[in-house]
Amino acid sequence: MYTLYWSPGSASMAPHCCLEEAGARYSLKLVDTAKGQHQSADYLALNPNGKVPTLVVDGGLVMTESAAI
């Protein structure tokens, strides 16, 4: 299962579309950058750069660059 951390206005639309097109099972987690959630300790533990999007694969592998995702 994939988890896509996304935010409106970020580069998360492309990975989201790819997950849909692939028919993959995934969940979406909104990261409210206006409230600074991308700088929270929990999010920085996933993505130390504090950027959105972030894709977590099966609770293990973490991908942080939209082009790589």
Side-chain angles (χ1 to χ4, degrees):
M1 172 103 161
Y2 299 92
T3 303
L4 179 63
Y5 292 81
W6 72 283
S7 180
S10 70
S12 53
M13 179 60 88
H16 188 181
C17 289
C18 289
L19 290 168
E20 270 300 310
E21 284 294 317
R25 289 183 354 140
Y26 68 93
S27 64
L28 296 173
K29 301 263 184 168
L30 176 63
V31 179
D32 191 339
T33 56
K35 292 182 180 177
Q37 290 178 344
H38 63 299
Q39 296 298 316
S40 71
D42 288 340
Y43 190 74
L44 290 173
L46 287 174
N47 185 343
N49 295 322
K51 303 288 185 182
V52 180
T54 297
L55 181 69
V56 179
V57 181
D58 292 328
L61 176 67
V62 178
M63 301 175 77
T64 60
E65 292 294 327
S66 183
I69 295 171

